[in-house]
Amino acid sequence: MEQRAPEHEDWTRRPLRATLLTLVAAGSAGALLWTALTGVEEPAVALVFCLFVAGGELARITLPGDREVAPVATAGAISYAFVVSLGQGPLEHSAAQVVAVAAIGVLMGELPHVAVGRAPRPEDAARRLLTVMLLASAFRPMAEELSLSGLSVTATLLMLALVSAAWLVDACLAALLRAERLRTRLWVTVRDEVRAQSAVGGVIGAGAVLIALACSVSGLVGLLVFSAPLLVSHVAFRRYAEIRRTYLETVRALSRVTEVGGYVESGHSRRVSRISHAMACEMGFSEADLLSLEYAALMHDIGQLSLSEPIAGGATVLASPLEQRRIAELGSGIIRQTGVLDTVAETVRRQCEPVSGDGRAGDPPVASRIIKVANAFDDLVGAGGGAERRAAVVERLRMDAGTEYDPEVVDALARVLTRP
């Protein structure tokens, strides 16, 4: 579960993000100024592509992992960079004009979102514009030097090579930004981003090249006709994102049942989830493992629903080992009934075991050890514990590290708590 930091923290503690936004803003402003001074080539065509980008930006999607994408807008802007002819006539707009049209389109598409309080993720919008800048700056001069016009094998291969390179650059930049935001290991985020963005990147790149080639043959009709595959993919991505979001919200709602019933303190499950997520990032968990850990952390106390009387304060860390095991087993049984969360159920079942296991099935999973430390920490600190209280609890956990708690996990907790 990713938490967005306040904007002032982003600027002061995320220098890569600040640099990206500054460079893209300066590049867009420079492109707009240059285009205004030199004039717009084929204004009607520029307007059509600008409106196309704006419509795609208006329909942007937030995919799992808090990734904001606009496949239609990005493909439209890239295709405008790649179009060298429209029907039988050449199209000789500059790279600066491409960037200016894309920037205006993005701004137009985002204004309605901002008006209703759905501000974009600035770094994701900046990455989309940076991709267009790089492709336009690379392709337009080459197209002029090679005298590319209309359909040709050379133009097609060049477009495919450039979109592939741009996708790789964007995935690496997204990984750097994600590592900076989550404070996790870069190689983990690179792997996650390449895997997560492969489908979207393929659709955007193929769609952009297809539209550019179609416009070379049939004019602007090609933009309308060959955007259909993009729209179908867009709907599929949106549906997938909605399903994942609904699933997560269902788990979050289920986790609150123990709070509503008075079995645990209000906010306990969410705090354990946040602490677990931060420690897992520190330890280099992949995105898929982070999601599984979030589910388990949110539902780690659901077994308390089977108790005849709630534990005082809901603090399972103060219960007997036998009672802790019983709660974990009951919670695991409830989760297994869903039929789709077996890994989560196993994580919940083994959360009460000491670091070396209970002698029956080897060492417990790292996710179980993380939840055990996070749960104990929140049980002992609560919602209003100050810095001194948190430090004292960490030292208490260190005393049992190696026997009850995993020393590596306790160290990760200490590092997380010392962050500004």
Side-chain angles (χ1 to χ4, degrees):
M1 180 170 55
E2 297 180 16
Q3 303 295 318
R4 293 190 186 184
E7 291 301 313
H8 71 277
E9 290 189 359
D10 280 351
W11 282 100
T12 57
R13 299 193 176 99
R14 295 183 57 192
L16 178 61
R17 176 184 183 272
T19 302
L20 171 66
L21 296 181
T22 302
L23 288 176
V24 171
S28 299
L32 287 166
L33 180 60
W34 179 263
T35 304
L37 293 175
T38 59
V40 179
E41 293 286 341
E42 298 288 347
V45 177
L47 178 61
V48 170
F49 275 96
C50 183
L51 293 176
F52 188 85
V53 171
E57 197 69 29
L58 182 62
R60 60 176 166 80
I61 314 166
T62 301
L63 294 178
D66 208 18
R67 295 179 178 87
E68 184 185 277
V69 297
V72 175
T74 307
I78 294 174
S79 65
Y80 186 53
F82 284 166
V83 172
V84 292
S85 63
L86 206 59
Q88 299 303 317
L91 203 60
E92 299 177 347
H93 53 272
S94 65
Q97 182 169 315
V98 173
V99 175
V101 167
I104 294 173
V106 168
L107 181 60
M108 289 173 59
E110 290 297 348
L111 285 177
H113 287 291
V114 175
V116 296
R118 293 195 303 265
R121 289 181 60 88
E123 59 264 44
D124 289 340
R127 278 178 37 231
R128 294 195 287 274
L129 282 174
L130 180 63
T131 299
V132 176
M133 288 180 185
L134 294 176
L135 288 173
S137 300
F139 182 81
R140 299 311 298 185
M142 281 195 270
E144 183 178 349
E145 183 161 341
L146 296 174
S147 300
L148 298 179
S149 62
L151 289 175
S152 71
V153 175
T154 302
T156 304
L157 292 177
L158 180 58
M159 292 176 192
L160 291 174
L162 287 175
V163 295
S164 298
W167 173 82
L168 184 59
V169 170
D170 182 64
C172 291
L173 179 57
L176 286 166
L177 290 167
R178 188 177 182 84
E180 184 182 57
R181 183 174 77 250
L182 298 182
R183 301 187 182 187
T184 189
R185 297 169 189 177
L186 180 59
W187 67 268
V188 174
T189 59
V190 170
R191 184 184 59 193
D192 287 340
E193 290 300 324
V194 169
R195 182 181 298 136
Q197 295 195 43
S198 57
V200 179
V203 167
I204 292 172
V209 173
L210 182 62
I211 291 173
L213 296 176
C215 288
S216 296
V217 176
S218 56
L220 289 177
V221 175
L223 174 63
L224 301 178
V225 173
F226 287 90
S227 62
L230 267 176
L231 296 175
V232 172
S233 300
H234 181 93
V235 171
F237 287 134
R238 181 177 291 278
R239 184 169 298 177
Y240 170 69
E242 289 174 350
I243 291 172
R244 287 285 298 270
R245 186 161 50 248
T246 301
Y247 199 76
L248 180 56
E249 289 302 322
T250 301
V251 172
R252 287 172 176 167
L254 185 61
S255 72
R256 297 189 189 105
V257 174
T258 52
E259 299 175 13
V260 174
Y263 289 89
V264 299
E265 286 187 355
S266 178
H268 170 70
S269 297
R270 294 189 296 278
R271 292 195 300 271
V272 170
S273 179
R274 286 195 295 269
I275 296 170
S276 298
H277 183 276
M279 286 191 292
C281 288
E282 184 74 23
M283 297 175 69
F285 269 40
S286 68
E287 184 176 339
D289 291 337
L290 284 173
L291 182 63
S292 178
L293 174 66
E294 178 178 6
Y295 288 159
L298 285 170
M299 296 190 291
H300 75 283
D301 267 338
I302 200 169
Q304 292 202 44
L305 295 174
S306 302
L307 300 178
S308 56
E309 292 186 7
I311 298 174
T316 53
V317 71
L318 302 178
S320 66
L322 183 62
E323 188 74 357
Q324 291 182 29
R325 180 176 300 171
R326 177 168 172 265
I327 292 170
E329 293 281 357
L330 291 170
S332 177
I334 293 172
I335 296 170
R336 285 190 192 277
Q337 292 179 15
T338 65
V340 294
L341 292 173
D342 288 347
T343 302
V344 173
E346 183 66 9
T347 300
V348 170
R349 184 182 75 83
R350 306 196 65 185
Q351 65 173 310
C352 62
E353 296 179 13
V355 63
S356 58
D358 58 5
R360 295 182 297 177
D363 295 346
V366 178
S368 298
R369 293 180 242 165
I370 288 175
I371 293 175
K372 182 180 180 69
V373 170
N375 177 67
F377 175 79
D378 193 73
D379 278 347
L380 296 172
V381 173
E388 292 185 3
R389 175 66 177 169
R390 292 196 295 269
V393 169
V394 171
E395 289 306 313
R396 175 174 172 177
L397 296 179
R398 285 191 192 279
M399 293 174 63
D400 292 327
T403 55
E404 193 68 21
Y405 304 108
D406 186 332
E408 184 180 355
V409 176
V410 177
D411 288 342
L413 172 63
R415 291 194 298 271
V416 166
L417 294 176
T418 57
R419 290 175 181 169

